[in-house]
Amino acid sequence: MSLLERLRSEGHLRTLDHALAVGLRRLDPGTADEVVLAAALASLAVSAGHAGFRIDQPRALLDLDLDWPDPAQWQRALQASRWVACPGARADEAPGAAPLVLEHGLLYLRRYREYERRLAAGLQRLGSGAAEPEGIAALAPLFARLFPQAAGGGDHQARAAAVALLHRLLLVTGGPGTGKTTTIARLLVLLAARAAAAGQPAPRIALAAPTGRAAERMAESLRRAARLLAEQGIEPELLAPLATGGRTLHRLLGTIPDSPRFRHDAANPLDVDIVVVDEASMIDLPLMAKLVEAVPDGARLVLLGDPDQLPSVEAGDVLSGILAAAGDGMRLAAADAGALQPLLGEVDPAAIAADAAVPFPARHVHLVRGWRQSAALDLAPLAAAVRSGDGERALALLREGRLDGVHYHADAADLLQDPARREHFLAHWTALAQAPTPAEALALAGRLRILTAVREGPQGARGLNTRIEALLAERLAQQQPRTRSDGFFHGRLLLVTENHYRHGLFNGDIGICLRDDRGQLMAWFPGATPDAPRAFHPATLPAHDSAFAMTVHKAQGSEFDEVWLVLPGKDSRVLSRELVYTGLTRARDALHLCADPAILALALSRHVSRVSGLAWRLGAGD
């Protein structure tokens, strides 16, 4: 039995992976075994979130003790195959029409190699513009009001805003509460002031994120920042850009029904001067490539994200690849330090990097101070231990119980078994159904959420939702007869799981079923403003689940006042420190972590790693 057939019979390959491999052999019976095996693995790699797979490290994709082909022999077979393109030394070289591409030790499906190549070329285009020192000195008084601690360049937020005034491609990273959107709010004020001083119109700004909730949250943060800046005396005309609404990336780019393409692309770029994208860690390779191509020449692109969160569900860990190649914005080139001297004062010489050619002209500033940490939630020590994979320290912190707002439940094998806990949940969900308006119900929904690591099983989102629905439907039926209709009921929280472009509903959107003024059960989702939700007949909704319990992946880009993070009772391949970190940092005021100590330690011992050639294409080397 060939290795390909063994992998198929043991269930390690999907039907799609195997079909690609046997399809190539059917078209050319002389195709070598090494080639058909590699084709199946390249397809499997995409489903596992990788851009491709390394032929010298097949066990990184399938950790199986098998007699894998010798890497040198495998490479020779692939190079000799008609199905494999082997571009030269240039990372931007097109691969031709072959379905597979072997490059830099990685074997790709051609489509994903092209996404990676196009993304790298687009980022180089955006970042290649010369530094823009014009008008910097005139901004000094306003900059000092916005960043009173900026002198000397040690304030990371001030440094990020100053660097963004010079360069068109900026990455701002940091955990929750480090002030990413606060920094961007001040940057937008500065850019508006520079345009006004030059006699130009206010910059056209687009705010976007992968999910509707993340986009809405960024827009809310900017509006809140505008109110605070207005109280500090910042002129209203400079604050006007902060009123920009947030959109999903799909809405920003303009979806075309039944097409993978968007209305805005390289031939029809966005009509904007600045694009700010939050939750960049969630963006997959194809979507990021399309976004970058749609940003016009001369515009600014600012990517915000947390590199310690889970990467995108789909292929590519794009943010990490870009960060690996970006220049450190906290170490200024001498020319930048001179240009920014009116804003930052004399920069510490240790923070000035030696002038050298930068292969990828992007700047990265990492924010570390927690500005938005809730007074009720002391999450920082636990988050730091989880982020570093220090299971011993994390468990010690949890068992000591000294972190405000953090509660550890080592024996919560059944989250709904305890009567007091069950009643706590039911009181919240019942309140949603009794809210005076759909807008208020949607606002209340963000106060509590159960997050799970897995979808299936007793501690999975699907199993918990089934039990919760039964409990809640019974409770509500006692108060409001006739609440259920074809699986929907008054008070049911909904999570959209696929994009529906005609309705403007996207994967990750959260809504609630409530009866309208005529008694008709409708599904309500957030609208253009918080007080104007949109109503849909339940029968017209795209694929969806209940949202009382959600997987951590689906909760990315959202925050909740109270989070119950539930890990499974036995090991699962999805467990990792990134999953635990992402889950616990969704909490604003209270975190309840339900996990067996051994399972938690196992999760923190694992680090999510994605295979990609993006950093190499951007000049970061191997």
Side-chain angles (χ1 to χ4, degrees):
M1 180 185 294
S2 70
L3 190 51
L4 173 71
E5 293 306 321
R6 178 178 173 182
L7 292 175
R8 182 194 65 81
S9 64
E10 293 180 359
H12 300 299
L13 295 177
R14 302 173 302 161
T15 301
L16 180 64
D17 309 326
H18 184 259
L20 171 63
V22 299
L24 296 181
R25 174 157 283 167
R26 187 176 298 114
L27 291 170
D28 183 355
T31 302
D33 287 347
E34 295 92 339
V35 174
V36 294
L37 172 63
L41 294 179
S43 175
L44 177 66
V46 171
S47 72
H50 307 292
F53 89 97
R54 298 191 179 279
I55 61 173
D56 61 344
Q57 299 176 20
R59 288 190 63 168
L61 178 61
L62 284 176
D63 189 13
L64 302 172
D65 188 14
L66 300 174
D67 188 16
W68 296 104
D70 173 73
Q73 176 186 341
W74 210 347
Q75 178 159 331
R76 287 192 295 271
L78 291 168
Q79 289 174 331
S81 174
R82 61 181 288 196
W83 304 122
V84 183
C86 300
R90 289 177 48 200
D92 60 348
E93 183 179 343
L100 303 171
V101 181
L102 179 63
E103 185 178 27
H104 204 63
L106 270 69
L107 186 72
Y108 299 86
L109 296 181
R110 178 167 63 93
R111 181 158 58 111
Y112 284 87
R113 190 271 184 182
E114 277 298 280
Y115 282 134
E116 196 175 270
R117 182 186 69 83
R118 287 164 48 189
L119 173 56
L123 290 168
Q124 293 280 12
R125 170 181 64 84
L126 292 177
S128 62
E132 303 172 294
E134 297 82 6
I136 292 288
L139 294 174
L142 176 61
F143 194 91
R145 294 168 62 192
L146 295 172
F147 299 101
Q149 307 298 322
D155 183 333
H156 288 213
Q157 291 190 335
R159 180 68 65 87
V163 168
L165 291 171
L166 282 181
H167 299 281
R168 295 196 182 111
L169 186 53
L170 178 71
L171 297 101
V172 181
T173 62
T178 51
K180 296 187 293 292
T181 51
T182 300
T183 302
I184 296 309
R186 286 160 169 74
L187 168 63
L188 297 179
V189 169
L190 289 166
L191 291 171
R194 184 158 73 171
Q200 300 171 348
R204 299 162 297 174
I205 300 168
L207 306 177
T211 67
R213 179 56 190 146
E216 179 186 342
R217 187 158 55 86
M218 177 170 56
E220 289 173 354
S221 296
L222 290 178
R223 287 192 292 267
R224 189 163 52 247
R227 290 193 295 270
L228 293 174
L229 291 172
E231 293 172 2
Q232 297 171 20
I234 301 300
E235 293 78 359
E237 59 271 20
L238 300 182
L239 298 175
L242 302 188
T244 303
R247 289 176 280 179
T248 64
L249 288 170
H250 288 82
R251 287 172 178 148
L252 173 67
L253 296 175
T255 54
I256 300 174
D258 305 317
S259 171
R261 299 183 59 191
F262 293 102
R263 291 188 175 87
H264 291 289
D265 54 17
N268 180 34
L270 295 162
D271 188 20
V272 295
D273 302 302
I274 307 165
V275 179
V276 181
V277 181
D278 200 6
E279 299 291 351
S281 65
M282 297 173 59
I283 306 175
D284 60 50
L285 177 59
L287 184 56
M288 185 68 88
K290 295 170 186 178
L291 167 67
V292 168
E293 288 183 333
V295 178
D297 291 341
R300 275 179 171 74
L301 175 62
V302 182
L303 299 177
L304 313 179
D306 185 346
D308 295 306
Q309 283 192 30
L310 284 166
S312 63
V313 176
E314 305 300 332
D317 186 0
V318 175
L319 181 61
S320 292
I322 300 174
L323 291 177
D328 183 358
M330 292 305 294
R331 288 182 56 80
L332 296 177
D336 286 359
L340 295 176
Q341 194 274 337
L343 306 184
L344 301 177
E346 293 297 331
V347 177
D348 182 352
I352 298 179
D355 287 331
V358 179
F360 176 47
R363 295 296 184 271
H364 169 218
V365 177
H366 185 69
L367 304 180
V368 293
R369 180 177 177 183
W371 292 81
R372 200 192 62 234
Q373 182 171 313
S374 166
L377 181 60
D378 183 16
L379 195 59
L382 178 61
V386 169
R387 193 167 53 238
S388 63
D390 189 344
E392 185 176 342
R393 173 64 175 160
L395 282 167
L397 288 168
L398 290 167
R399 285 168 169 156
E400 289 170 2
R402 297 180 182 177
L403 300 179
D404 291 339
V406 177
H407 310 274
Y408 182 44
H409 309 275
D411 57 351
D414 186 339
L415 186 65
L416 300 175
Q417 185 175 29
D418 181 74
R421 188 185 302 142
R422 186 170 61 244
E423 187 58 36
H424 173 67
F425 293 141
L426 285 171
H428 168 71
W429 295 322
T430 304
L432 302 184
Q434 296 172 342
T437 66
E440 292 176 79
L442 289 170
L444 285 171
R447 292 188 178 177
L448 183 150
R449 197 60 49 93
I450 298 171
L451 302 184
T452 71
V454 295
R455 179 174 170 80
E456 306 296 340
Q459 292 110 331
R462 176 171 288 178
L464 285 171
N465 276 321
T466 298
R467 295 175 62 195
I468 291 166
E469 284 185 23
L471 290 169
L472 184 58
E474 180 181 358
R475 172 70 60 88
L476 293 174
Q478 297 170 1
Q479 303 170 0
Q480 302 177 23
R482 294 180 59 252
T483 57
R484 182 176 289 273
S485 175
D486 296 329
F488 297 94
F489 61 88
H490 184 83
R492 182 189 178 193
L493 275 177
L494 298 171
L495 171 70
V496 174
T497 58
E498 71 176 14
N499 297 330
H500 193 294
Y501 301 119
R502 288 189 176 89
H503 281 357
L505 292 173
F506 297 92
N507 187 3
D509 286 353
I510 293 176
I512 187 168
C513 287
L514 295 173
R515 295 194 179 276
D516 62 17
D517 294 339
R518 299 173 298 173
Q520 174 67 49
L521 191 65
M522 303 294 287
W524 301 83
F525 286 84
T529 61
D531 59 347
R534 298 172 294 152
F536 299 90
H537 191 283
T540 68
L541 293 177
H544 57 273
D545 290 323
S546 288
F548 303 104
M550 300 166 56
T551 63
V552 173
H553 273 98
K554 291 295 186 183
Q556 279 185 271
S558 297
E559 288 181 327
F560 310 98
D561 292 347
E562 179 182 336
V563 165
W564 288 73
L565 176 59
V566 183
L567 300 191
K570 58 183 180 180
D571 187 20
S572 168
R573 63 183 180 83
V574 304
L575 290 174
S576 67
R577 70 187 66 164
E578 287 82 4
L579 182 139
V580 176
Y581 172 82
T582 303
L584 65 88
T585 54
R586 300 308 91 201
R588 279 190 291 247
D589 297 321
L591 168 71
H592 293 261
L593 177 55
C594 306
D596 178 272
I599 295 297
L600 179 60
L602 187 62
L604 299 192
S605 70
R606 291 180 180 152
H607 170 58
V608 175
S609 179
R610 295 279 179 86
V611 174
S612 166
L614 181 59
W616 164 72
R617 294 183 195 281
L618 294 173
D622 294 324

